[in-house]
Amino acid sequence: MKTLYFDCSMGAAGDMLTAALLELMPDADAALAELNAIGIPHVVFEASRCVKCGVAGTHVRVLAYGAEEDAAHSHAHSTLASITQLVDGLRVDQSVRRHILAVYKLIAEAESLVHGCPVDQIHFHEIGTLDAVADIAAVCLLLAHLEPDRILASPVHVGSGTVRCAHGILPVPAPATAELLRGIPIYGGSIAGELCTPTGAALLRHFVSEFRALPLMRTDAVGYGMGKKDFPAANCVRAMIGQTDEPSTETMLELSANVDDMTAEQIAFAMERLFSEGASEVYTIPVGMKKSRPGTLLRAICRPELRESIVRAIFLHTSTIGVRETQTRRYVLRRTVTQRDTSLGPVRVKRSEGYGVVREKAEYEDLARIARERGISLEEANNRTERELETHGT
């Protein structure tokens, strides 16, 4: 299984994660050029070699209007709506765009809880500037290219002391960061300063499936993403990518709610919103409820760190007055995706294996595209593709 591991023993920030991932790319120069071509207005990425505490790595700077932005010199406070409009215009795949917006939604929800105001009224400060948009977009794009089957990370070192923010001097971790790290193992220490930023925390929360010690891994590449400041320890995020053979298991939560007064359309919409919040699975079961009324059991499966956002979404989008939680363990087959050329066009093939089982399946979206372009049924597109793949091998 292709596994990506982030060592966050010196925290995490968007620029550090970007730099670490850039070092894992087969052609870092080409990847940097692609980042500069995605269309963030007035933004340029720069990468340079950097040495901290004797360790060499990459430092990434984001120049907006020709200079680095910071809390004191950001060009404007942004709303989620304005950020969404900006992201919609980027030259990236739709899946990358969805990840970018999902990360920002996590930040908006954390800020909403901290400041006690609705999400659509949140005005981003440090995290709303163009460099933060660039950091998040860069991490999402680079991860899309690396295509790890799973992403793990160490517990997160958050630092200690205080940090100066737009609202004044606040304790480390800053309130929004602390909210984003809820449910994630964190620790402080003797290093004074903010080691984990809101952007870094949101990216970890969105992408990392488990926070744990480094598993047994055959490492293919190691990247060091350097931060701006100097500390007694090397200020970097270390990213390691390689193959792991251990059975993939995850601790998951089952969040369940019963409803008997919602239409089919309302339930369908609720399921859609739960998927958008990051639920791994959402499904319904017909049930008999009290007073012999027929009802629906709505169940969402999610990672523990998504508990609060999923519960909140269930209450927002359904009529239930209670949500039940059960912790469960999920066993996962190792998954890889390869692209194959066929006479009908390129097709991505998903391969799942483990526990003595091997399965291969063409990606639905590619089959649907072929069916539309050729004017044939989805079944015919699937059958013709399967025959070609079986003939030539995958």
Side-chain angles (χ1 to χ4, degrees), residues 14 24 59 76 93 97 107 115 137-138 154 185 202 207 212 231 237-238 241 282 294 317:
L24 298 182
H59 174 59
D93 289 343
R97 190 174 292 112
I107 297 173
H115 298 303
S154 69
F207 283 110
R212 50 169 289 187
F231 295 109
V237 167
R238 180 168 63 174
I241 196 164
V282 183
H317 298 294

Side-chain angles (χ1 to χ4, degrees), residues 73-373:
H73 299 91
S74 59
H75 291 90
H77 290 177
S78 306
T79 64
L80 188 59
S82 64
I83 289 171
T84 299
Q85 184 178 12
L86 190 159
V87 173
D88 284 342
L90 298 183
R91 291 187 286 274
V92 296
D93 289 343
Q94 184 61 36
S95 61
V96 174
R97 190 174 292 112
R98 284 197 297 267
H99 281 301
I100 297 170
L101 292 175
V103 172
Y104 260 108
K105 190 168 184 180
L106 287 176
I107 297 173
E109 290 174 345
E111 292 279 358
S112 173
L113 287 172
V114 168
H115 298 303
C117 62
V119 169
D120 58 3
Q121 295 179 20
I122 288 295
H123 286 259
F124 300 102
H125 299 288
E126 291 86 352
I127 56 171
T129 49
L130 288 175
D131 59 338
V133 176
D135 287 337
I136 293 173
V139 170
C140 293
L141 181 60
L142 293 175
L143 285 175
H145 286 319
L146 289 169
E147 292 186 314
D149 298 313
R150 64 172 177 171
I151 302 175
L152 308 176
S154 69
V156 182
H157 189 178
V158 297
S160 64
T162 59
V163 60
R164 183 178 295 276
C165 300
H167 295 286
I169 297 175
L170 299 173
V172 170
T177 304
E179 188 64 38
L180 287 162
L181 293 172
R182 183 185 295 189
I184 294 172
I186 63 174
Y187 62 98
S190 60
I191 296 178
E194 181 187 37
L195 299 185
C196 187
T197 66
T199 302
L203 286 164
L204 292 175
R205 185 176 191 89
H206 178 69
F207 283 110
V208 174
S209 61
E210 191 175 359
F211 293 83
R212 50 169 289 187
L214 177 69
L216 183 65
M217 176 191 291
R218 294 187 301 276
T219 306
D220 296 323
V222 180
Y224 292 88
M226 301 302 191
K228 298 177 184 178
K229 297 180 180 180
D230 291 319
F231 295 109
N235 184 21
C236 67
V237 167
R238 180 168 63 174
M240 308 172 74
I241 196 164
Q243 297 296 321
T244 55
D245 293 327
E246 63 180 7
S248 180
T249 63
E250 301 173 297
T251 298
M252 305 292 285
L253 298 181
E254 291 182 351
L255 299 172
S256 305
N258 287 15
V259 296
D260 64 359
D261 55 354
M262 292 179 64
T263 66
E265 290 88 352
Q266 290 171 328
I267 292 174
F269 181 78
M271 294 175 70
E272 174 194 316
R273 299 317 304 160
L274 289 169
F275 275 121
S276 72
E277 291 292 337
S280 301
E281 299 176 36
V282 183
Y283 59 92
T284 61
I285 302 173
V287 294
M289 298 177 62
K290 59 186 177 181
K291 299 183 181 179
S292 300
R293 291 196 297 253
T296 300
L297 167 63
L298 176 68
R299 178 167 290 161
I301 311 296
C302 69
R303 301 197 304 268
E305 60 269 20
L306 296 179
R307 173 193 288 110
E308 296 298 326
S309 60
I310 297 297
V311 168
R312 200 178 309 120
I314 292 175
F315 281 125
L316 176 63
H317 298 294
T318 77
S319 59
T320 191
I321 58 174
V323 177
R324 301 181 299 280
E325 174 186 311
T326 301
Q327 189 174 94
T328 187
R329 196 78 176 161
R330 182 171 73 163
Y331 294 83
V332 184
L333 296 179
R334 295 187 295 274
R335 288 162 289 182
T336 57
V337 180
T338 58
Q339 182 165 297
R340 305 291 297 175
D341 292 324
T342 74
S343 62
L344 300 177
V347 175
R348 288 168 293 173
V349 177
K350 296 182 289 188
R351 181 183 177 91
S352 304
E353 56 186 319
Y355 302 96
V357 173
V358 177
R359 299 193 183 107
E360 290 185 338
K361 184 178 181 181
E363 173 62 52
Y364 163 78
E365 295 294 344
D366 293 345
L367 294 176
R369 170 182 51 78
I370 289 171
R372 287 191 292 266
E373 293 174 351

